[in-house]
């Protein structure tokens, strides 16, 4: 019997994991600078939370959820995205009772039963942020800038910010009518997906890749915005301009989740194939209330970590992710070997990364190991050195070798 990982999942092995850690550290550091605090919520929640939160007619809820009945006969779902759980936690823990606005971030696996391809998995990972407690457009701009800076600081080039306003539910209802009036005459010529979307979620029809050429004259949602929505959108753009963040207004941008109001945005990368969206998000002013909390506005984004890794690879960006070993200890002879174990423990306790041989190999093979581990130094202890309280220290970079006092080893290695 051979076991294999489930379709659409990945094993992250040493060598790759360090790159992930580097990218995660970057996200954490950015959130520290922007004053966002981490939140960790469960990997599964009540199914209904996502049905209500993400929306009954979305692809996620209709087709992609990992839902199961637990032993208590409750319907549970592995989280397909992060926002609904964070909103639930915000409400349940009454974070809205705090005097300041709430700025949160999270990182972790999400689950969607999708057709896997490059950059699309069934278990994938998001770095996301959510802000609660203000409808001020300056925070829309801040959230967008945070995501933008994340891609910039990782060295990704060609990531574009696209923004749109999807208005309020009332604005969308009016726009839906205008859009349907435009689509109706061509209904029979549209693909079956478009036809069913026309009935369930007409705004998403414009998303269709197949029928794109037919939508040239489609009405723009931006022409349907009311005064409040346009003012908000103008202010968001003005803040972005002030920060010199480049963006493009894309009036066709509709996100695949139902909770958005006002600002919607995506980070798009060029030249990584069919899947070009690195991340997306927007405002969700009705969601907290929808989930049983007070009427508090929110905004956030989710960035796909696999997509980030994919672009890093495409653009040949080398992350300085692997941390070399400080020292590899070689013991020659039985007494020296015992002493090596002691030194190893001491160095590790003092904060050095140190390694030794566990296979009884000859000196040459041990030196090869030291090379593979990119050790800065090897320290070689024979019985003679041991008797004198010394150890031979070799710099792997310069090849220079000298004898140092055992007591001075840590000092010689430096930290
Ligand atoms: P989303 O657009 O569904 O939004 O997902 C955000 C990002 O997660 C996508 O742009 C993509 O990079 C990544 N992603 C989604 N599905 C997959 C997949 N199957 N495989 C790999 N990567 C994937 C949300 O999830 C919202 N919760 C974002 C948000 C936060 N809006 C407000 N706050």
């Amino acid at each position: 019997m051979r076991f294999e990982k489930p379709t659409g999942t990945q094993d992250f092995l040493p060598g790759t994991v360090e790159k992930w850690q580097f990218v995660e550290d970057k996200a954490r550091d950015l959130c520290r600078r922007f004053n966002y605090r981490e939140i960790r919520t469960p990997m599964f929640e009540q199914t209904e939370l996502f049905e209500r939160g993400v929306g009954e007619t979305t692809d996620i809820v209709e087709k992609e959820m990992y839902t199961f009945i637990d032993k208590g006969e409750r319907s549970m779902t592995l989280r397909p995205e992060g926002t609904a759980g964070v909103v639930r936690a915000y409400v349940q823990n009454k974070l809205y009772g705090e005097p300041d606005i709430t700025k949160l971030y999270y990182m972790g696996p999400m689950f969607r039963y999708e057709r896997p391809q490059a950059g699309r998995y069934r278990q994938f990972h998001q770095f996301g942020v959510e802000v609660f407690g203000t409808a001020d457009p300056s925070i829309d701009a801040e959230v967008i800038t945070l995501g933008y800076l994340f891609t910039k600081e990782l060295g990704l080039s060609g990531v574009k910010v696209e923004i749109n306003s999807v208005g309020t539910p009332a604005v969308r209802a009016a726009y839906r009518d205008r859009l349907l009036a435009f689509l109706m005459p061509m209904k029979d010529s549209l693909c079956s997906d478009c036809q069913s979307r026309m009935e369930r979620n007409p705004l998403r029809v414009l998303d269709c890749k197949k029928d794109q050429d037919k939508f040239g004259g489609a009405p723009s949602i931006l022409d349907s915005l009311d005064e409040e929505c346009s003012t908000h959108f103008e202010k968001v753009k003005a803040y972005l301009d002030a920060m010199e963040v480049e963006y493009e207004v894309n009036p066709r941008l509709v996100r695949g989740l139902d909770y958005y109001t006002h600002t919607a945005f995506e980070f798009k990368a060029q030249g990584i194939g069919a899947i070009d969206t690195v991340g997306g998000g927007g405002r969700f002013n009705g969601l907290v209330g929808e989930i049983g909390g007070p009427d508090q506005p929110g905004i956030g984004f989710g960035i796909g970590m696999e997509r980030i890794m994919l672009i890093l690879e495409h653009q040949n960006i080398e992350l300085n992710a692997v941390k070399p070993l400080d020292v590899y200890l070689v013991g020659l002879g039985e007494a020296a070997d015992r002493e090596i174990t002691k030194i190893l423990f001491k160095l590790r306790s003092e904060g050095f990364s140190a390694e030794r041989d566990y296979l009884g190999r000859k000196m040459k093979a041990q030196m090869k190991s030291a090379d593979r581990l990119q050790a800065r130094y090897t320290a070689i202890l024979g019985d003679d050195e041991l008797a004198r309280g010394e150890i031979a220290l070799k710099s792997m970079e310069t090849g220079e070798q000298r004898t140092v006092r055992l007591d001075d080893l840590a000092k010689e290695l430096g930290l």
Side-chain angles (χ1 to χ4, degrees), residues 49 82-92 132 284 287-289 291:
L49 173 69
T83 311
V86 172
V87 172
R88 197 260 319 128
Y90 173 78
V91 173
Q92 187 172 358
F132 299 91
F284 45 86
L287 184 58
V288 178
I291 282 177

Side-chain angles (χ1 to χ4, degrees), residues 60 80-84 106 112 114 119-126 128-130 255-257 259-260 266-267 277-284 299-307:
I60 295 179
E81 57 101 52
T83 311
Y106 51 88
R112 295 184 194 176
E114 293 198 78
R120 188 192 284 148
Y121 298 90
R122 291 185 176 167
Q123 175 173 333
F124 62 98
H125 300 75
Q126 279 185 356
V129 309
E130 315 290 354
R255 308 260 308 122
L257 303 89
Y259 45 63
Y260 295 109
E266 276 180 352
F267 304 107
T277 308
V278 187
R283 211 165 239 300
F284 45 86
I299 178 163
F301 68 66
I303 289 182
M305 297 292 250
E306 283 77 4
R307 308 248 167 121

Side-chain angles (χ1 to χ4, degrees), residues 22-274:
F22 183 95
V23 173
E24 288 159 2
D25 286 349
K26 173 62 74 189
R28 287 211 162 80
D29 183 56
L30 259 178
C31 286
R32 179 187 59 78
R33 285 183 267 152
F34 278 70
N35 189 33
Y36 286 64
R37 317 255 323 255
E38 184 175 357
I39 183 166
R40 300 185 186 193
T41 64
M43 228 90 84
F44 61 94
E45 300 266 2
Q46 273 169 273
T47 303
E48 213 187 322
L49 173 69
F50 301 115
E51 289 171 347
R52 274 184 166 235
V54 176
E56 304 264 11
T57 61
T58 57
D59 284 352
I60 295 179
V61 170
E62 279 189 347
K63 300 186 245 180
E64 298 169 358
M65 296 209 297
Y66 277 93
T67 295
F68 60 98
I69 304 295
D70 75 4
K71 291 192 196 301
E73 308 275 301
R74 286 169 289 251
S75 180
M76 294 291 167
T77 296
L78 299 185
R79 61 181 188 194
E81 57 101 52
T83 311
V86 172
V87 172
R88 197 260 319 128
Y90 173 78
V91 173
Q92 187 172 358
N93 297 287
K94 300 195 174 58
L95 299 183
Y96 48 80
E98 292 173 4
D100 288 316
I101 65 164
T102 311
K103 305 198 335 180
L104 303 168
Y105 79 91
Y106 51 88
M107 264 182 278
M110 311 287 160
F111 307 86
R112 295 184 194 176
Y113 195 86
E114 293 198 78
R115 196 172 46 80
Q117 61 185 92
R120 188 192 284 148
Y121 298 90
R122 291 185 176 167
Q123 175 173 333
F124 62 98
H125 300 75
Q126 279 185 356
F127 156 45
V129 309
E130 315 290 354
V131 181
F132 299 91
T134 177
D136 195 89
S138 62
I139 206 79
D140 302 37
E142 174 176 296
V143 164
I144 293 171
T145 325
L146 204 173
Y148 172 78
L149 203 54
F150 178 60
T151 65
K152 278 273 169 264
E153 289 194 1
L154 286 171
L156 307 186
S157 54
V159 176
K160 276 199 324 192
V161 180
E162 290 189 0
I163 62 171
N164 190 21
S165 173
V166 296
T168 55
V171 162
R172 272 203 300 284
Y175 174 63
R176 190 178 302 124
D177 292 345
R178 288 180 59 207
L179 185 60
L180 280 174
F182 167 81
L183 294 171
M184 238 7 148
M186 60 175 77
K187 184 173 182 189
D188 294 338
S189 73
L190 299 178
C191 73
S192 58
D193 264 359
C194 280
Q195 295 194 10
S196 85
R197 278 181 173 169
M198 269 179 75
E199 276 160 35
R200 309 167 69 82
N201 198 348
L203 270 64
R204 299 222 55 211
V205 172
L206 299 184
D207 245 7
C208 177
K209 296 243 164 24
K210 282 186 231 151
D211 289 329
Q212 226 13 266
D213 53 327
K214 305 191 176 100
F215 301 144
S220 158
I221 190 162
L222 294 177
D223 298 329
S224 294
L225 295 185
D226 61 20
E227 178 91 25
E228 186 219 336
C229 293
S230 347
T231 309
H232 185 90
F233 193 46
E234 289 309 315
K235 285 187 180 163
V236 174
K237 287 191 291 182
Y239 281 117
L240 291 175
D241 290 336
M243 289 186 277
E244 296 179 16
V245 171
E246 276 177 50
Y247 60 85
E248 228 169 74
V249 174
N250 174 5
R252 298 269 180 90
L253 192 154
V254 267
R255 308 260 308 122
L257 303 89
D258 276 356
Y259 45 63
Y260 295 109
T261 57
H262 297 279
T263 318
F265 57 90
E266 276 180 352
F267 304 107
K268 293 234 173 99
Q270 270 123 27
I272 58 159

